[in-house]
Every structure is written in C-alpha cells, then in structure tokens.
Amino acid sequence: NIQGLELRQSLLGHDGCVNALSWSWDGQLLFSGSDDSTICVWRAAGDGSLLSRFSTGFSERVFDLKLLPAPNDHLLIACSMDASIKVFDVNRILAAANSASIFANTVRPSEDSIVDGSDCCVRTFAVHSAPVKRAAIIPDAPFEFLSCSEDGTARHFDIRERLPSVRLDPDTWKRGGQIVADYHKLRAELHALDVNAFHPFIFAVGGSLTSIMVHDRRMPYSGLAH
C-alpha cells in the first residue's frame, strides 16, 4: 500500500526542479542536480543534513549525475542542458564545504551558502552540440563513461585523454570524444542510455525515434545512421 509508506526525509536545498539523483557507492551520500544549475550533497543515509551546495559553472540546468566506479568513486560526472559535461572531485567539494562552514539542513540554504565549485571541477568536455541528457558508467572501467545528447550522438570518454575543453566549430565538433552511435542525420535526439553490466561493450540508446538501438562498442561502425 503506497499510502502506508513512510516518508523518511524531505531534503530542501534547491531552487528549481530536481532532475538528477545519484547515491554514493557506499550508500551514505546522495547527490542531486537541479534546474538551478547547482549540485547538492546530502547525508541522506544519516540525519539528512546538507553537506554542500555548490555552483557547477553550467549556464543551464543539470540533467544527470553519475559516480565513476572505484578507485575513482570520488569523481562525479554531471551533464547539462548547456551541452557540456563536467567531472567534479567529491573530496574537494566536501573539503570546500567544511572550509565554508556549510550548516546542516535545518532551513532552506541561502544563496550565500553556495560553494564555488570551479576548483572542484577536474575535467570539462564540451563536444556535444545540444543538451546532454544522460551519462552511463562502464563496469570495471573507472576512467571511462558514455554520454548521449539531443544532438543525436552517443559518445565514449576517457578522463585520462586530453580532449578539447571548449566546444569546437560546427565542422569539427565530432572530433572530440569517440562517437559510438550517431543518429543526427535522421534528426533524432537521444534521451536515454544504459550499459549492460555483464557485457560492458554493449549499450542501448533511445530517444525521439520509436525504436531502441542496441550497439556494441567493439563494432563502432555497426548500425550507425548515415
């Protein structure tokens, strides 16, 4: 009976719709991303306190959040409507929050309590040409992740590679990151993405088309739309 389920906590911290949630791998922290372009870090498995609310540097809303696997489980991937992806160091975020003496979630935090997250961003990828809707981690690949965008592409990123930090011109934007699925010539948008946990080279994407497309990264040209 849903009506009988108890509401354990109600976490107040954002000033806009909450679009993304991601638990830490140990289940202690909860990360949230919002239309207000900020990310909050909550001690949701404990007292529900707000540990940090930080500015992302995005010019638009946050659409998705994912933590990389260990040993990089302190790195948080954030996707935005402004077509960029950022990777934040959670340890730096919490350290900055402690330095700023962020208070517990007793009242809605003020604008003054927002921590500047610019020093916590370790990578920025700006190679999509439209809003980035989802990111997906790859099991046993702590440096890699996939993304999908309304530009009709899914991309593979490796945070060890040095890629352009600013968006390229329209004729060359495809060169950043490896495109692993491309439906832009069909004028299709990609909104959903997931990686097979047992076969990590296999991933599925979906969006404005009525079909779900399953790809194998070992065959990068298989099934691409031209």
Side-chain angles (χ1 to χ4, degrees):
N1 188 335
I2 295 179
Q3 293 180 345
L5 295 177
E6 180 182 359
L7 175 64
R8 176 173 174 174
Q9 294 168 336
S10 183
L11 308 177
L12 300 176
H14 286 293
D15 296 318
C17 297
V18 177
N19 304 314
L21 295 170
S22 183
W23 287 95
S24 63
W25 289 98
D26 63 5
Q28 296 302 305
L29 302 179
L30 179 65
F31 302 87
S32 59
S34 169
D35 278 2
D36 62 20
S37 80
T38 69
I39 294 174
C40 289
V41 187
W42 309 89
R43 190 183 285 114
D47 58 7
S49 58
L50 176 61
L51 300 179
S52 176
R53 181 187 181 197
F54 66 95
S55 61
T56 58
F58 291 133
S59 61
E60 288 284 355
R61 64 194 67 177
V62 180
F63 272 149
D64 199 20
L65 298 172
K66 291 291 189 303
L67 280 164
L68 288 172
N72 284 331
D73 50 352
H74 62 289
L75 296 181
L76 180 69
I77 303 163
C79 305
S80 175
M81 185 177 177
D82 72 5
S84 67
I85 303 168
K86 293 179 182 289
V87 182
F88 294 96
D89 188 324
V90 173
N91 293 335
R92 293 187 194 178
I93 292 168
L94 296 178
N98 288 335
S99 299
S101 300
I102 296 298
F103 49 82
N105 183 36
T106 54
V107 295
R108 182 181 295 274
S110 66
E111 290 295 322
D112 294 337
S113 67
I114 299 177
V115 174
D116 181 3
S118 58
D119 291 337
C120 307
C121 180
V122 297
R123 292 299 303 271
T124 297
F125 299 99
V127 292
H128 281 292
S129 62
V132 185
K133 302 305 288 285
R134 293 290 180 268
I137 61 169
I138 302 171
D140 301 320
F143 296 96
E144 303 171 47
F145 65 93
L146 302 182
S147 67
C148 74
S149 167
E150 290 183 5
D151 64 18
T153 68
R155 292 174 176 266
H156 171 264
F157 294 95
D158 189 325
I159 62 174
R160 296 167 295 188
E161 295 179 359
R162 302 308 303 176
L163 296 176
S165 59
V166 295
R167 193 169 299 109
L168 306 175
D169 64 77
D171 294 331
T172 59
W173 65 269
K174 283 190 174 184
R175 297 178 188 172
Q178 179 188 7
I179 294 178
V180 291
D182 188 351
Y183 293 89
H184 83 281
K185 289 187 177 180
L186 296 180
R187 300 184 182 277
E189 299 178 356
L190 297 182
H191 302 157
L193 168 69
D194 201 18
V195 173
N196 188 316
F198 294 96
H199 304 284
F201 285 101
I202 307 295
F203 67 96
V205 290
S208 59
L209 298 176
T210 57
S211 59
I212 299 166
M213 292 74 74
V214 180
H215 289 267
D216 188 333
R217 288 191 293 117
R218 295 168 296 185
M219 298 181 288
Y221 297 104
S222 175
L224 299 189
H226 297 289

